[in-house]
Amino acid sequence: MADKDIQLEIITPTGKVFSGDVDTFIAPGFEGYFGVLQGHAPYVVALKIGEIKLQSDAKLSRFATTGGFAEVLPHKITVLAEAAEPADAIDLERAEKAVSRAQSRIEEGRKKWDVDRAELAMARAFNRMAIAKKNI
Ligand code: ATP
């Protein structure tokens, strides 16, 4: 562990998707993307749909997240995410199907569907597609 490293855990309802020391961490907050350096004062921040980027042993890793919370302590960050998939584990076809499903529901409208929910599903799927495509 280098001097400036931070211990990071990313936990989702299906398990731990990352655990290790990182030297950079960037995540999607509601007020925009933010980075955390070692020694930061403690705080908790809500995360929205977007990309988590981290660098560990000079290797950049990217995750699609659908939101959650990050607890920042001077030497440790814990992310509790609703979902977080490493870019190379995103199923592009599944995300494309989710977009079409959401799109038809939005078109069929509020009488039949919860359109707000469909819009969120669409945002999750677009985010996954964008992150998976960057990885190709
Ligand atoms: P879908 O309608 O395809 O299930 P969703 O947006 O409703 O998409 P979520 O509720 O965000 O899915 O996630 C449910 C679980 O499925 C999570 O564990 C998430 O990591 C996983 N997941 C969802 N979509 C994908 C995908 N395209 N590739 C890989 N994992 C996915």
Side-chain angles (χ1 to χ4, degrees):
M1 174 171 174
D3 276 0
K4 290 186 180 160
D5 281 357
I6 311 173
Q7 204 186 330
L8 171 69
E9 292 208 324
I10 304 177
I11 299 160
T12 72
T14 57
K16 208 175 270 190
V17 298
F18 183 89
S19 178
D21 296 329
V22 298
D23 41 31
T24 60
F25 171 83
I26 296 172
F30 278 83
E31 286 167 20
Y33 277 84
F34 64 93
V36 178
L37 296 174
Q38 196 204 61
H40 202 291
Y43 70 107
V44 172
V45 58
L47 304 181
K48 63 175 197 171
I49 294 170
E51 182 177 36
I52 294 175
K53 281 194 266 191
L54 57 95
Q55 205 158 354
S56 172
D57 290 333
K59 183 178 169 273
L60 179 72
S61 304
R62 301 183 302 109
F63 297 79
T65 185
T66 57
F69 290 93
E71 179 199 49
V72 176
L73 298 174
H75 300 278
K76 179 162 190 190
I77 303 169
T78 307
V79 174
L80 298 177
E82 287 152 15
E85 303 96 38
D88 61 3
I90 295 170
D91 180 340
L92 192 51
E93 207 175 306
R94 176 172 168 179
E96 283 164 355
K97 281 187 185 151
V99 168
S100 329
R101 193 165 53 242
Q103 215 152 19
S104 340
R105 289 178 180 175
I106 292 165
E107 278 161 21
E108 287 170 26
R110 291 192 185 276
K111 283 197 183 140
K112 202 163 167 204
W113 299 105
D114 179 342
V115 167
D116 295 342
R117 187 170 159 184
E119 280 171 353
L120 276 174
M122 178 114 102
R124 291 194 299 273
F126 270 141
N127 180 53
R128 288 180 170 122
M129 284 167 61
I131 293 170
K133 282 179 178 167
K134 267 200 238 170
N135 215 53
I136 292 171

